[in-house]
Amino acid sequence: MSAPPYASAPAPPRQTGAVRREALARDRHLPGDVVARVLPGLCRTALEAALLEPARCRLLGTGLPHAEIEQRIAKAHKLTELVSLAHYGEIDRVGETMTDLTRGYGQQATDHIRWCNKGTHEAVPVDDAEEIIRRTADLAKAVRSL
């Protein structure tokens, strides 16, 4: 009797953003300048993904149709605008949002968002890649509850 087709070969594990970030942090042969250029973008992508859920929930709660919600999300070109959209449902309240984020999660949270933003445009210092990944994961978890 032969094995069912779905059992013949295990599927390779999917590489998630978290796996890629952790692999990047643990690769001791990767030049520091590469880490400084790549890690901030991966962290920013993780935060953007985490912010989409509360942004959509907040906007759905206002009764907006899905198409309008996606248009508003598409207008959030900056990470800080997406944070504002997730927090207030509007992209133009960045200052208030960053103040609220600092008040709720500490200066380290807003500093990390600024670091991610800066790092998508230029190389930024990466002292401890694993700590940065942990901070990103903690912040992503926190912003999902906005």
Side-chain angles (χ1 to χ4, degrees):
M1 175 178 252
S2 65
Y6 59 82
S8 60
R14 280 185 14 169
Q15 282 250 325
T16 64
V19 171
R20 285 190 293 269
R21 285 188 306 277
E22 289 172 11
L24 180 72
R26 291 190 175 107
D27 187 342
R28 303 294 178 220
H29 303 291
L30 200 58
D33 61 328
V34 173
V35 174
R37 290 292 300 166
V38 175
L39 185 59
L42 292 173
C43 292
R44 179 183 170 138
T45 299
L47 292 175
E48 287 171 343
L51 288 160
L52 287 173
E53 182 180 343
R56 285 188 175 109
C57 286
R58 182 168 306 282
L59 294 171
L60 278 170
T62 67
L64 287 172
H66 288 278
E68 174 67 22
I69 290 169
E70 294 307 314
Q71 287 174 355
R72 288 189 184 196
I73 288 170
K75 289 179 184 175
H77 298 291
K78 298 177 181 179
L79 180 58
T80 53
E81 291 174 344
L82 190 54
V83 175
S84 178
L85 191 63
H87 193 68
Y88 287 112
E90 303 170 18
I91 64 170
D92 60 352
R93 296 177 68 179
V94 171
E96 288 174 82
T97 302
M98 296 304 276
T99 299
D100 290 345
L101 201 63
T102 300
R103 191 175 302 122
Y105 302 105
Q107 185 65 46
Q108 186 175 5
T110 50
D111 288 347
H112 193 65
I113 288 172
R114 288 184 182 102
W115 179 86
C116 289
N117 269 342
K118 184 176 182 180
T120 59
H121 303 290
E122 61 187 71
V124 293
V126 176
D127 297 325
D128 183 346
E130 289 185 34
E131 173 62 19
I132 289 170
I133 291 166
R134 186 198 57 75
R135 260 190 250 149
T136 301
D138 290 349
L139 185 55
K141 183 178 178 182
V143 299
R144 280 190 178 98
S145 66
L146 288 177

